[in-house]
Amino acid sequence: MSDQINTRRRRLLGTTVAGIGLMELGLSGFANAQTSGTKTGGRVASFDTIKQINAGTLNIGYAEAGPQNGPVVILLHGWPYDIYSFAEVAPLLAAAGYRVIMPYLRGYGSTRFLSADTPRNGQQAVIAVDIIALMDALKIDKAVLGGFDWGARTVDIIAALWPERVKALVSVSGYLIGSQQANRAPLPPKAEFAWWYQFYFATERGYAGYDANRHDFNKLIWQLASPKWNFDDATFDRTAESFANPDHVAIVIDNYRWRLGLSRGEAKYDEIEKRLAAAPTISVPTITMEGDSNGAPHPDPSAYAKKFTGKYAHRNIGGGIGHNLPQEAPKAFADAIIDVARF
């Protein structure tokens, strides 16, 4: 049974949906405001109610918006981001009648492990299993899934292996399912250079450095991944609170070490990883997206188009949009969710 934890209560600073009554939309726990676009002094709003529910090995924290009886959309963030990547997407979808669920992934925000003995595992399969467990706990049979970065990889995996749980899919940067075997192949020098932090995390110095400097480290990643996004300090600091999770560093380090084969993962997920290593196709209706200024490593859309065998479209988003596409271009992302649900 879920319960509510009233946290981070702040003043409601405005809304992006003029004329819409938040209470009528079931958004009483949600506040949204445009940021100023400056480097300092910006005012941002907060999800003032975070719900918690036991799901699998976790107690998952999540924000929710929209009518309880609306069709469900689940939105997944990546690293180093959190649920606030969808702060301006959520009211747009809620206004269209959707029930929007935005969970903190393991290692972020208020999500916690139920047992101290559970491995702090960050491999790709386990994050997908977490979301299936969340859907089961919330009694959600099927949903539209959307995500970017780790979130895009996770929704890809669920759509590939559990298509019966997915009505439709929006995946930023397209098909991101990988494998340890595929990652053994070296990349061209420029591509390897783009993964500098992955190699840093492979060392104990990197583990200690990330632990000690996670705020500044992640702010640097935001700047590199979205070089034209003029986010302000308040916007970053709002998300940076989620990095204080006691398992955050362990999960992030394990995620990147697993990719290089430096962390084995858990044996109980071997069969799932074996299926993922075969690069399964995705048959559910899908829209993939890419910003024109994504500074993070990402595949070219032509490299993955054939992995989507159902109704499919790709959208390039212009205007200096970087890696955190939902937060940088919320209307474009919300439109994709609404459109793909109608495919």
Side-chain angles (χ1 to χ4, degrees):
M1 180 178 294
S2 65
D3 56 14
Q4 293 188 358
I5 297 177
N6 293 325
T7 60
R8 305 180 187 175
R9 289 204 171 273
R10 299 175 183 171
R11 298 175 61 190
L12 301 182
L13 301 176
T15 180
T16 57
V17 186
I20 299 296
L22 294 182
M23 293 296 291
E24 293 177 3
L25 290 173
L27 291 172
S28 59
F30 178 80
N32 183 55
Q34 298 276 359
T35 60
S36 68
T38 61
K39 286 292 181 181
T40 60
R43 299 196 306 164
V44 293
S46 173
F47 294 109
D48 71 343
T49 298
I50 301 297
K51 299 180 179 181
Q52 299 289 144
I53 191 167
N54 288 347
T57 62
L58 301 172
N59 178 262
I60 295 179
Y62 65 99
E64 186 170 358
Q68 285 292 305
N69 61 351
V72 180
V73 174
I74 299 176
L75 303 179
L76 303 182
H77 67 84
W79 172 84
Y81 307 96
D82 77 339
I83 62 175
Y84 286 103
S85 289
F86 308 108
E88 295 180 29
V89 173
L92 297 175
L93 295 177
Y98 290 94
R99 178 188 178 193
V100 188
I101 295 171
M102 298 152 283
Y104 285 111
L105 300 186
R106 56 170 54 200
Y108 295 81
S110 61
T111 293
R112 297 290 188 273
F113 285 88
L114 295 173
S115 171
D117 297 328
T118 303
R120 272 40 179 178
N121 175 7
Q123 72 183 103
Q124 63 177 355
V126 74
I127 300 174
V129 169
D130 290 343
I131 302 307
I132 292 292
L134 174 65
M135 294 178 70
D136 290 344
L138 293 173
K139 296 180 170 52
I140 296 169
D141 180 59
K142 182 177 287 192
V144 177
L145 302 184
F148 73 104
D149 196 83
W150 291 17
R153 179 174 296 105
T154 302
V155 300
D156 287 347
I157 291 170
I158 296 171
L161 300 188
W162 296 280
E164 70 279 4
R165 307 301 297 269
V166 183
K167 179 179 179 181
L169 181 70
V170 172
S171 179
V172 177
S173 297
Y175 189 91
L176 297 179
I177 297 172
S179 72
Q180 290 181 323
Q181 181 177 357
N183 287 339
R184 292 192 186 112
L187 300 172
K190 286 185 178 180
E192 296 282 20
F193 176 74
W195 286 108
W196 66 271
Y197 53 87
Q198 181 171 249
F199 300 110
Y200 181 64
F201 289 162
T203 69
E204 289 308 300
R205 177 187 176 90
Y207 193 117
Y210 186 61
D211 191 17
N213 302 299
R214 70 187 84 170
H215 180 280
D216 291 348
F217 192 103
N218 289 343
K219 193 170 188 178
L220 173 63
I221 295 295
W222 277 36
Q223 293 164 343
L224 295 175
S226 299
K228 295 185 179 180
W229 181 29
N230 193 28
F231 63 88
D232 59 22
D233 290 339
T235 297
F236 176 77
D237 290 342
R238 177 181 61 178
T239 285
E241 292 180 18
S242 72
F243 309 145
N245 184 295
D247 302 303
H248 177 75
V249 175
I251 295 297
V252 170
I253 297 298
D254 191 73
N255 178 281
Y256 287 101
R257 288 185 179 182
W258 180 87
R259 300 187 199 195
L260 294 176
L262 303 176
S263 173
R264 191 197 179 291
E266 294 180 74
K268 63 182 178 179
Y269 301 117
D270 284 354
E271 183 57 34
I272 294 177
E273 293 294 356
K274 182 178 179 180
R275 294 172 65 189
L276 295 175
T281 58
I282 293 173
S283 61
V284 304
T286 300
I287 291 176
T288 58
M289 308 182 75
E290 191 60 78
D292 63 339
S293 295
N294 186 356
H298 62 279
D300 187 272
S302 64
Y304 55 69
K306 292 183 179 180
K307 302 304 293 184
F308 299 95
T309 60
K311 190 168 183 181
Y312 172 72
H314 177 78
R315 296 180 178 179
N316 291 311
I317 309 301
I321 302 303
H323 190 61
N324 186 4
L325 191 150
Q327 195 164 0
E328 297 176 61
K331 186 178 185 303
F333 188 83
D335 286 347
I337 292 286
I338 293 168
D339 292 345
V340 80
R342 296 170 177 165
F343 271 15

